[in-house]
Amino acid sequence: YGDAGNLSRRHACRNADGEFLRVGGLGLTGVIIKGIGGFYYVKAEDDIIECKARGRFRKEGLVPMVGDTVSVSVKNGKGSIDEILPRTTMLIRPAVANIDQLVVVVALRSPEPHAALIDHFLILGEHSGIETVLCFNKADLPHTQELVDIYRNAGYRVVLTSVETGEGVEELKSLLKGKITAFAGNSGVGKSSLLNALGAPEGLETGRVSEKIQRERHTTRHVELIELDGGALALDTPGFSSFEMPAVKAEELQDYFIEFAPYIGGCKFRGCAHISEPGCAVLEAVEQGKVSKLRHNSYKELYQELKKVKEWET
C-alpha cells in the first residue's frame, strides 16, 4: 500500500471537492467513517451505508479501517464491503487510513503549550508522510507571539484561530476542503470547539478545562470521521495519549527538526548528537539565534526519551 500507482488509483475515486465517485469495475465507492461492533458505516455519494466486511478479508489478514476508501454493494437492503482500495497513509493508534492532513491544535493559553508535545505530533506527521498544519488556538487570550514565530520561522504552516472571535476559522476551513484531516493535540486545547466552529453537523461534546489540573475530560468515545462545512472530513482524536511516538531512532531525530538541516554535516565530529559536543554546528546556530533554543531544548528532551528505547522496540 502507498506506492505512486496506488496513490493515483485512490485519488481517482474522488473529485476536486472530495466527493466519491463510481469507478469502472469497482461499483460504488465511499469512505468508512465509523466502525462499531463489526459494522462499518460507509459514506458513499449522499448516503451512509451500514456494511459488513467480506469474510475473505479476515483470511487475507486485512481489517477495514476508518478512512479506508472501499467498494461496496447493497443487496436486499444489506451493505457489503467488497474491496479495500490501496491506502496512501496509515496510523496504527488510532487505527485510521488515508489521512491527507494532520492539524496539530495547540492552545496559546490554558493549558500552557509544551514544545516537546507539539514536536511529537510534527514528527508523527513527517514520519507518516502526512502534511501537517500547526493551529495555535485560543488566540483571543493574552499570549506572546514568540512561540508562533518560532514554528513559522522554522518553516511550518501556521494558522492562528479563536472560536470566540472567529479569527482564522475561514482560513483553516479552506485548508480542509477536499481532504481527510486528523485533528490532534493535547487535552484541553479546544479541538472539539474548533470543529464545532468549522461546521460539525450536530456539534461535538466539549469538556471544561479544570483550573487545577488544566486537562479536559476526554469526550470522544470512538474513532469517527465527521463531515464539516464544505464536505471536508475530519477525525477528532481523543487526546494526546492516543498517539504513540513513531519508530524513530535517537540518531534519526535530527532529520525531523527541519531547521537543523543547513547545519547537519558541519559538525566537527561524525555522528554528532547535537547535545553538548564541541564543534557542533547546530549548537553554534543555537547560540547565534539561527535555531530556537526552545526547539533545541525540545530536541534534547525527545532525544533522551528515544535513547531509553531498546533497539528491538523500534
Side-chain angles (χ1 to χ4, degrees):
Y1 283 22
D3 60 32
N6 288 343
L7 272 166
S8 62
R9 183 183 176 195
R10 183 219 167 196
H11 286 290
C13 300
R14 295 162 65 185
N15 64 18
D17 294 321
E19 297 169 333
F20 291 89
L21 309 171
R22 293 182 183 273
V23 179
L26 291 179
L28 186 66
T29 64
V31 63
I32 298 176
I33 61 171
K34 180 170 60 176
I36 299 178
F39 287 93
Y40 299 92
Y41 297 84
V42 178
K43 175 177 170 55
E45 296 184 345
D46 295 326
D47 296 323
I48 304 295
I49 305 171
E50 183 182 81
C51 298
K52 296 283 283 186
R54 294 281 188 188
R56 65 179 177 83
F57 293 130
R58 190 180 305 109
K59 296 177 183 178
E60 296 171 1
L62 284 176
V63 178
M65 302 172 70
V66 169
D68 269 331
T69 302
V70 295
S71 172
V72 302
S73 59
V74 180
K75 187 175 181 179
N76 297 327
K78 296 182 179 180
S80 175
I81 296 176
D82 301 323
E83 183 175 357
I84 301 172
L85 275 67
R87 294 165 178 156
T88 59
T89 60
M90 184 173 67
L91 298 176
I92 301 301
R93 187 181 178 195
V96 61
N98 298 328
I99 294 298
D100 299 307
Q101 183 172 245
L102 180 66
V103 171
V104 180
V105 184
V106 180
L108 287 167
R109 286 280 300 275
S110 184
E112 296 298 322
H114 184 193
L117 298 185
I118 300 172
D119 296 336
H120 174 114
F121 287 115
L122 294 176
I123 292 168
L124 174 68
E126 178 74 17
H127 186 267
S128 305
I130 301 172
E131 181 181 349
T132 304
V133 176
L134 260 177
C135 173
F136 287 99
N137 197 29
K138 304 186 181 182
D140 56 291
L141 299 179
H143 64 273
T144 64
Q145 186 70 17
E146 181 184 10
L147 188 67
V148 176
D149 290 341
I150 284 172
Y151 284 94
R152 184 173 279 151
N153 293 337
Y156 292 101
R157 180 67 182 264
V158 171
V159 179
L160 268 70
T161 57
S162 167
V163 173
E164 296 298 322
T165 66
E167 177 183 354
V169 173
E170 289 303 316
E171 180 184 358
L172 183 57
K173 189 179 293 184
S174 69
L175 295 176
L176 305 180
K177 186 176 181 181
K179 296 181 179 180
I180 298 178
T181 302
F183 278 71
N186 200 11
S187 299
V189 297
K191 295 189 303 297
S192 295
S193 296
L194 188 58
L195 285 166
N196 286 338
L198 291 165
E202 297 178 0
L204 298 177
E205 183 183 1
T206 59
R208 185 173 59 186
V209 179
S210 163
E211 294 180 1
K212 183 176 181 180
I213 62 174
Q214 290 199 337
R215 290 197 308 177
E216 180 183 37
R217 294 177 180 175
H218 295 326
T219 53
T220 305
R221 298 291 185 261
H222 53 264
V223 176
E224 180 176 358
L225 286 174
I226 57 175
E227 187 169 3
L228 306 179
D229 288 347
L233 292 174
L235 177 76
D236 181 27
T237 58
F240 177 78
S241 62
S242 67
F243 281 94
E244 295 179 343
M245 189 72 168
V248 174
K249 296 179 181 179
E251 56 268 25
E252 298 171 341
L253 184 62
Q254 63 180 3
D255 299 327
Y256 293 90
F257 281 72
I258 58 179
E259 67 270 49
F260 288 11
Y263 311 105
I264 293 173
C267 300
K268 182 177 180 180
F269 299 105
R270 182 178 299 178
C272 181
H274 319 302
I275 301 296
S276 59
E277 297 84 351
C280 173
V282 172
L283 290 175
E284 183 178 339
V286 173
E287 289 302 317
Q288 294 175 352
K290 297 176 181 177
V291 170
S292 159
K293 287 185 179 180
L294 179 141
R295 280 276 284 173
H296 185 252
N297 286 337
S298 171
Y299 167 82
K300 290 191 292 184
E301 181 178 334
L302 292 171
Y303 183 88
Q304 295 303 327
E305 286 183 18
L306 292 174
K307 285 293 287 185
K308 297 175 184 177
V309 178
K310 303 299 182 183
E311 186 73 22
W312 55 267
E313 294 180 304
T314 60

